[in-house]
Amino acid sequence: MIRLGVNIDHVATIRQARGADEPDPVWAAVEAELGGADTITFHLREDRRHVSDRDAEILRRTVAGRLNMEMSADADIVSIALRLKPHQCTLVPERRQELTTEGGLNVVDGAARLRGVVRKLRGANIEVSAFVEPDANQIRAAAKCGFHAVELWTGGYAHASPGPQADRALRTLGDAIEVAFESGLIVHAGHGLTYRNVDAVAALAGFTEFNIGHSIVSRSVFVGLREAVREMKRLLDRASQHHVALVDSEDLLGRNG
Ligand code: PXP
């Protein structure tokens, strides 16, 4: 089974557009879980542009499944994570000017600092993931820093033109999964995944968790969040059944070979 992590930041963004108290991302988390979300993902940004400290506190107390906190390696944010103790922290790069997280963390250059942050979070029994581009050096550096997992940035695939460019991006993701496995890492995926493009990525065996935000929240405007999550979950479940079929056929080949 591939876990679906639903990123609820965009619900908070709508609230902040009016400085009002609705829509509440805490309600969104409840609806997402009722729709089948395995993980609720939120990004507590240094500038608090969408999710607030209040949201993070209540999510920690009310989310029934897994809670994944996306965060920078900033000392104040790390101390909040150590107090909240979500199941998982995903370390991401953060720039004030960006519309959303635009690429992976530079683990190679930031290794010295990241190692200390990972040690603290692991010490609090938090699973730690690094959001990285599908690049062998970044993945190996994440393993050396002590991360449990990498979340591979799927933006390269999502932004590619259909055809050879998208195929190349998929092969890059497949190669990155292999490097991550060789390095002993769990592999997640996220960024830019939609109802239309998720199939091909989910068909690559090896991903444990997909974190998807914008596309699900966009669809929820029309069908409601519970139904939007249900539809995405169905696509992922269908893809993971395909993985079982692949493994079976390899077994068969092995026995018959
Ligand atoms: N994973 C990470 C680490 C992210 O920063 C984001 C964007 O907040 C997502 C997944 C979700 O991306 P999208 O909103 O494009 O589905």
Side-chain angles (χ1 to χ4, degrees):
M1 187 199 80
I2 307 175
R3 285 200 306 259
L4 171 59
V6 176
N7 184 315
I8 56 170
D9 297 348
H10 292 295
V11 176
T13 299
I14 298 172
R15 177 188 61 189
Q16 298 315 104
R18 276 295 179 93
D21 59 2
E22 62 179 5
D24 192 331
V26 175
W27 289 27
V30 174
E31 280 297 308
E33 289 202 297
L34 287 170
D38 304 288
T39 299
I40 297 298
T41 295
F42 69 97
H43 186 170
L44 188 69
R45 282 184 169 265
E46 291 166 31
D47 63 8
R48 307 296 198 276
R49 71 165 77 149
H50 41 50
V51 171
S52 66
D53 295 79
R54 166 266 184 204
D55 301 335
E57 297 280 349
I58 302 179
L59 288 170
R60 179 63 187 94
R61 281 187 271 131
T62 55
V63 166
R66 287 170 64 86
L67 188 64
N68 174 32
M69 176 171 167
E70 285 180 16
M71 54 186 269
S72 73
D74 171 79
D76 290 342
I77 298 286
V78 172
S79 61
I80 293 171
L82 289 171
R83 190 168 44 75
L84 287 179
K85 291 191 177 51
H87 298 90
Q88 181 174 300
C89 286
T90 301
L91 291 179
V92 302
E94 208 173 290
R95 289 194 298 118
R96 298 273 161 130
Q97 301 81 4
E98 67 192 357
L99 279 178
T100 180
T101 312
E102 283 165 355
L105 196 61
N106 190 340
V107 187
V108 173
D109 290 350
R113 178 154 178 248
L114 289 170
R115 204 171 290 127
V117 172
V118 173
R119 196 182 320 115
K120 281 188 196 157
L121 294 170
R122 286 188 71 126
N125 278 330
I126 298 168
E127 291 173 31
V128 198
S129 178
F131 185 50
V132 294
E133 287 173 31
D135 172 274
N137 290 331
Q138 295 294 346
I139 294 165
R140 292 193 183 108
K144 283 204 194 105
C145 278
F147 283 95
H148 294 95
V150 278
E151 177 172 330
L152 298 179
W153 176 74
T154 46
Y157 161 74
H159 303 148
S161 316
Q165 206 188 358
D167 291 348
R168 214 172 312 122
L170 279 174
R171 274 197 300 279
T172 303
L173 285 168
D175 292 345
I177 293 171
E178 278 187 29
V179 175
F181 281 176
E182 283 160 18
S183 311
L185 293 164
I186 296 163
V187 196
H188 306 155
H191 190 88
L193 295 174
T194 69
Y195 295 86
R196 291 190 184 87
N197 70 16
V198 76
D199 272 21
V201 185
L204 297 171
F207 288 118
T208 299
E209 179 179 278
F210 279 65
N211 284 301
I212 307 178
H214 188 263
S215 188
I216 292 177
V217 173
S218 300
R219 183 163 292 206
S220 78
V221 173
F222 304 105
V223 303
L225 187 55
R226 197 183 304 188
E227 176 57 21
V229 171
R230 213 179 268 143
E231 288 174 22
M232 185 59 82
K233 183 73 182 155
R234 219 176 284 134
L235 292 178
L236 295 182
D237 283 348
R238 205 170 63 193
S240 55
Q241 278 161 14
H242 178 62
H243 295 163
V244 175
L246 276 180
V247 170
D248 283 346
S249 63
E250 278 165 16
D251 277 350
L252 205 63
L253 281 173
R255 277 204 296 278
N256 294 341

